Amino acid sequence: MLKHQDIINEMTLEEKATLMSGQNFWNTAEISRLNIPSIMLTDGPHGLRKQGGKADHLGLNKSLPATCFPTAATLANSWDKELLYEVGSYLGKEAASENVSVLLGPGLNIKRNPLCGRNFEYFSEDPYLSGKLAAQLVKGIQSKGVAACVKHFAVNSQEHLRMTIDEVVDERALREIYLEGFRIAIEEGKPKTIMTSYNKVNGEYANENTHLLQDILYGEWQYDGVVVTDWGGNNDRVKGLIAGNQLEMPSSGGITDEEIVEAVQSGELEESLLDQRVSELLTLVFETMPPQLSKGEVDLEAHHTKAQEAAKKSMVLLKNEEDILPIGDASVAIIGDFATTPRYQGAGSSLINPTKLDNALEALQELGVNIVGYSQGFKRYGGRSNKLKTEALQLAKHADKVVVFLGLDEGSEAEGIDRNTMELPDNQLELINELAKIHSSIIVVLSGGAVIELPFVSQVKGMVHGYLGGQGSGKAIADILTGKTNPSGKLAETYPLRYEDVPSAPYYPGKEVTAEHRESIFVGYRYFDSANRPVLFPFGHGLSYTKFEYTNLTVDDTRVRCTIKNIGDFGGEEVVQLYIKPEKTNILRANRELKGFTKVYLEPNEEKEVMIELDQHTFQYFDTKEDKWVTEQGVYEIQIGSSIEDIRLTESIELEGKQTSEEELSDRLFNYYHKNIHHISDEEFHHLLGFTPPNPLWDRNKQLGYNDTIAQGKYKKGLGKLLYFITLATKKTLEKLGKPLMANNVMFVMNMPFRQIPRFSNGKVSEKMLDRLLKWINLW
């Protein structure tokens, strides 16, 4: 018997169908006669985005003021599980105070490639780190009665054509890289909701993908929560219900409700299955409706202080040659637009309206730093200005040290669009090169949510990466630069020397029909370390103003222990990282993998024993032949270090497990076994997949249908091409007018499937009208 069988017995078929879609853009449907309330779902991952006016998807209308915490890409650099829980609890408290029942976050897709426009919302290139941190954020949010919603399930690796692209990935990579973070977050964090991604996975839309939802999520992981579509992410409503989805968002104006009713009446959909989905949704509604939320007075000043603390713990000291930092008593020139107008968050559905906003220049002034002056230095959105550059160069001559604020602008990283390059804008590179010719003591402060190329690294003595540190980032940067706070962040992603070194570079993004993950499991450090490729900054790298000594490693079946001592002059935190390296393996496998971490604070000369737990997944890989996780028999090296390239302690252990021999596949997967990942042939990739994927390019001659986009209209001759060029011209015009966020939002329209037009318009554009539009487009 279903949990809510008594209520369901009172419902009509039409009412059951109505509950399966939103009532409007942000709320579920209510049935007042049965005392079923509506609950609100809203963004976001690092702050509450509850819109005060008319709702929209991409942040065009301003939301109510809320605390903007550091983004996931920033928080990941803290490697601090306790901090993630605390931030989550603050997010949950603000959500509860606004009667928000479901907070749409965290996002924990893998940073497969540095150019993904939404990388700032994701934690890491590593699934273990992503999952552990996401689990704590989920626990924190849900401690206030609010449901967290982990997203985007799954393999949402690019923004380009995200609503139609087919992410083609082999089962090993799917399980070990793209799903493992979700598994950890779901099994440990127990989120009440999970959001499916827009894209297809191996030919089937994620929201109706029975392998993802039935076999893995509900089957293997025993998930007992609700699955919600991404906004506009429903393709076939009935298939989605059958696969395991309970809630389509936003409202489709009743269009998909009718589809559900018709499916039940025709026998395509069993009403008993619909009843099950209704019962599952009702559980969420009754557990998170406003009276159940842990409400209390929100102290916005305390929340701002927590945002500052989170930013401080997440900033990474990349370089500190000749101990140029802390600044000390030296005279300092401050250069760069980001010093006064901080770049502190990404764009799109996570865009927060902060309650207040620190900037680094004012914070440095308040700390009494000897500042000789400030110069903007460059135009924020690109373009040369000799006047700004000359002013900066003149100012630098009058200072002992020069602090230059560089980074990516607001239009560079956004939902719905990917970056074109891993480089900083030319005007910023030109400025830093000119400064380096006249000054030898330069400190760079970086802003941005993902990896960038840093060709000037040898020309500067100090470098701090603030990532996107939220509304308290200005104060946090000032405290780091002055030594008031000892930096403790560690990179959650690898910094390559150049974009071409990235393992997915030859294959990213998928251009039209498919996005082929030919690099398989060799994402991020798993490739660079296994292929022995040099990098600029390795995974886990981050310096401190003090030094730590590692001793006394002991290992048993369930835990690893070692002693960490602060042997420097500053109190500080160290992130202790545990890597597992099979000393010999007969299977396709990364050289080593992160399998544990902890963060410890030590005063000068203080030492502590730290412990890292091992679990059943620590030594396992996913065996596709047996369709399960297994341990390969053999000797494994336990490595403890300060980064993947700074291993301090090692000890080997021998494990029982599956006996493997040299795989007969090694000849057919030659480039994989020899780590020539940039040169994977069609034959090798298809053999790894076990099937032949679709043609990666659109059929230029085919008739456009409901699941096609305006972007495909460029291959037509009449109305289709006209719509494409009008949309493209609108984007370019907005860019020229200095409105990059609005320009990026146009791409949402460009890449949206035609099927969504009637649904997003709540039927004002009917399917008959859409049929006529497509008929006209297909005439030529």
Side-chain angles (χ1 to χ4, degrees), residues 492-506:
E493 55 192 339
T494 307
Y495 273 61
L497 293 170
R498 55 180 190 156
Y499 177 69
E500 289 76 13
D501 294 338
V502 174
S504 59

Side-chain angles (χ1 to χ4, degrees), residues 108-119 122 152-162 165-169 174 177-178 197-201 417-418 504 507-510 515-517 519 523:
L108 53 99
N109 291 101
I110 291 298
K111 289 184 164 187
R112 176 194 175 205
N113 185 283
L115 301 187
C116 176
R118 216 166 176 180
N119 273 341
Y122 305 141
H152 308 89
F153 191 71
V155 205
N156 183 182
S157 299
Q158 66 179 58
E159 291 299 286
H160 174 64
L161 292 174
R162 61 180 176 159
I165 201 76
D166 184 2
E167 301 277 3
V168 180
V169 57
L174 179 67
I177 305 297
Y178 297 101
S197 55
Y198 288 120
N199 51 277
K200 296 177 183 177
V201 179
I417 190 168
D418 295 316
S504 59
Y507 320 118
Y508 190 93
E516 296 185 343
H517 293 236
E519 71 280 4
V523 175

Side-chain angles (χ1 to χ4, degrees), residues 625-757:
K625 290 182 178 178
E626 296 190 21
D627 194 33
K628 67 178 183 180
W629 293 89
V630 301
T631 298
E632 183 184 17
Q633 178 178 298
V635 178
Y636 293 80
E637 188 172 79
I638 309 293
Q639 301 183 340
I640 299 292
S642 189
S643 81
I644 196 170
E645 290 189 3
D646 185 10
I647 300 301
R648 308 289 185 88
L649 303 169
T650 64
E651 183 171 322
S652 295
I653 61 172
E654 186 168 0
L655 296 178
E656 296 297 321
K658 180 179 179 180
Q659 295 185 12
T660 59
S661 57
E662 194 71 33
E663 292 191 29
E664 71 271 8
L665 297 178
S666 59
D667 290 338
R668 302 190 67 177
L669 300 174
F670 178 87
N671 284 309
Y672 283 108
Y673 275 87
H674 290 81
K675 310 305 182 289
N676 298 322
I677 302 302
H678 291 132
H679 304 287
I680 302 300
S681 66
D682 289 352
E683 181 182 1
E684 287 175 302
F685 183 53
H686 298 174
H687 190 77
L688 184 71
L689 287 173
F691 62 89
T692 301
N695 188 321
L697 300 179
W698 291 317
D699 180 351
R700 307 294 195 255
N701 299 314
K702 87 177 187 81
Q703 301 272 294
L704 297 189
Y706 274 35
N707 279 339
D708 296 312
T709 65
I710 289 175
Q712 291 168 255
K714 65 181 177 180
Y715 298 117
K716 296 295 179 179
K717 294 181 179 179
L719 181 59
K721 180 167 283 191
L722 178 63
L723 286 173
Y724 170 76
F725 280 110
I726 288 174
T727 308
L728 193 63
T730 301
K731 178 180 183 292
K732 291 181 178 178
T733 300
L734 289 169
E735 288 174 338
K736 289 180 180 178
L737 292 173
K739 297 181 178 180
L741 299 185
M742 293 184 68
N744 288 343
N745 289 340
V746 172
M747 296 306 295
F748 181 80
V749 177
M750 175 80 83
N751 295 326
M752 183 178 72
F754 288 112
R755 70 169 187 262
Q756 290 305 134
I757 295 176

Side-chain angles (χ1 to χ4, degrees), residues 223-241:
Y223 177 64
D224 62 357
V226 163
V227 172
V228 57
T229 67
D230 203 340
W231 267 233
N234 171 59
N235 171 50
D236 185 309
R237 190 68 197 99
V238 175
K239 283 185 178 179
L241 279 175

Side-chain angles (χ1 to χ4, degrees), residues 20 28 39 41-43 101-109 122 131 134-135 138 141-142 146-156 178-198 201 206-209 211-219 221-231 233-234 237 240 243-249 277 280-281 284 288:
M20 298 291 93
T28 63
I39 61 170
L41 306 84
T42 196
D43 299 305
S101 296
V102 180
L103 195 64
L104 302 176
L108 53 99
N109 291 101
Y122 305 141
V138 167
I141 292 169
Q142 296 192 162
V146 175
C149 182
V150 296
K151 62 182 187 179
H152 308 89
F153 191 71
V155 205
N156 183 182
Y178 297 101
L179 297 186
E180 180 63 358
F182 283 100
R183 181 195 67 80
I184 295 169
I186 287 167
E187 292 185 352
E188 296 184 9
K190 302 192 182 306
K192 293 179 182 295
T193 61
I194 185 170
M195 181 189 293
T196 48
S197 55
Y198 288 120
V201 179
N207 189 62
E208 54 202 53
N209 193 306
H211 182 50
L212 288 179
L213 299 180
Q214 286 298 316
D215 297 344
I216 299 171
L217 179 65
Y218 285 110
W221 298 347
Q222 295 293 294
Y223 177 64
D224 62 357
V226 163
V227 172
V228 57
T229 67
D230 203 340
W231 267 233
N234 171 59
R237 190 68 197 99
N245 170 275
Q246 291 85 2
L247 181 61
E248 173 199 21
M249 290 297 291
R277 300 288 178 261
E280 291 159 348
L281 180 65
L284 174 70
T288 65

Side-chain angles (χ1 to χ4, degrees), residues 614-628:
L614 307 177
D615 62 35
Q616 64 176 0
H617 276 264
T618 298
F619 302 96
Q620 292 182 332
Y621 72 97
F622 191 80
D623 188 318
T624 55
K625 290 182 178 178
E626 296 190 21
D627 194 33
K628 67 178 183 180

